[in-house]
Amino acid sequence: MAYHAARLVLGIIFLIAGLNGFLVVFDIEPLIPTSPKAMALFQFNYLLVVEKSLEVICGLLLLINRFVPLALTVLTPITANIFLLHIFVDPSLLILAVIMVILQGYLLYHFRDKFKGLLEIR
């Protein structure tokens, strides 16, 4: 039960955040408020498009419960950057970043057997 809730909430967060990024690229008012300081870090739209595309794709993968370990692998550095950005640059959405880290940490723990091979010394 907790696995499904964490997966769905994290999927919704990334899907909405990804779609928000595309709306900002096209100068349309985003669905939810976007931090201007965070968006200012994207000087080139193609960087924004690549990251937001990954967020949308991985958010959808989490929502449909397919390739979840792969989606978590792709989203982990994105989540880490979001968390660090809100700690050091713009604390306005820090609580959301903390929630994302907790949810992602739980999901990574849930799939810990899938990731053990990455941490083996050969």
Side-chain angles (χ1 to χ4, degrees), residues 35-44 47-48 51 81 84-86 89-90:
S35 166
K37 290 181 183 176
M39 295 309 292
L41 295 176
F42 292 101
Q43 294 179 2
F44 306 104
L47 290 175
L48 182 64
E51 181 184 339
N81 280 318
L84 293 172
L85 175 120
H86 288 295
V89 177
D90 183 17

Side-chain angles (χ1 to χ4, degrees), residues 58 61 66-76 115:
C58 291
L61 289 175
R66 298 284 186 250
F67 304 107
V68 175
L70 174 64
L72 292 173
T73 302
V74 171
L75 290 175
T76 296
F115 297 109

Side-chain angles (χ1 to χ4, degrees), residues 2 7 9 14 18 22 25 29 36 48 56 66 68-70 76 81 85 89 92 96 99 105-106 114 121:
R7 179 181 52 79
V9 170
F14 274 109
F22 283 114
V25 168
E29 188 65 30
L48 182 64
V56 169
R66 298 284 186 250
V68 175
L70 174 64
T76 296
N81 280 318
L85 175 120
V89 177
S92 65
L96 181 61
I99 291 168
Y106 172 76
K114 303 282 185 195
I121 299 173

Side-chain angles (χ1 to χ4, degrees), residues 8-121:
L8 290 173
V9 170
L10 194 64
I12 290 168
I13 289 171
F14 274 109
L15 181 62
I16 291 173
L19 292 175
N20 254 4
F22 283 114
L23 294 176
V24 170
V25 168
F26 297 121
D27 290 328
I28 300 172
E29 188 65 30
L31 301 171
I32 54 176
T34 303
S35 166
K37 290 181 183 176
M39 295 309 292
L41 295 176
F42 292 101
Q43 294 179 2
F44 306 104
N45 277 349
Y46 73 90
L47 290 175
L48 182 64
V49 170
V50 169
E51 181 184 339
K52 295 305 177 181
S53 296
L54 289 172
E55 288 180 11
V56 169
I57 291 166
C58 291
L60 287 172
L61 289 175
L62 290 173
L63 289 174
I64 65 172
N65 202 22
R66 298 284 186 250
F67 304 107
V68 175
L70 174 64
L72 292 173
T73 302
V74 171
L75 290 175
T76 296
I78 294 172
T79 302
N81 280 318
I82 290 169
F83 181 67
L84 293 172
L85 175 120
H86 288 295
I87 285 177
F88 295 114
V89 177
D90 183 17
S92 65
L93 294 174
L94 181 59
I95 188 67
L96 181 61
V98 169
I99 291 168
M100 291 169 62
V101 167
I102 291 169
L103 292 173
Q104 186 145 358
Y106 172 76
L107 291 172
L108 288 169
Y109 179 77
H110 181 80
F111 286 103
R112 65 189 174 277
D113 292 337
K114 303 282 185 195
F115 297 109
K116 282 184 180 176
L118 294 173
L119 301 174
E120 288 179 359
I121 299 173

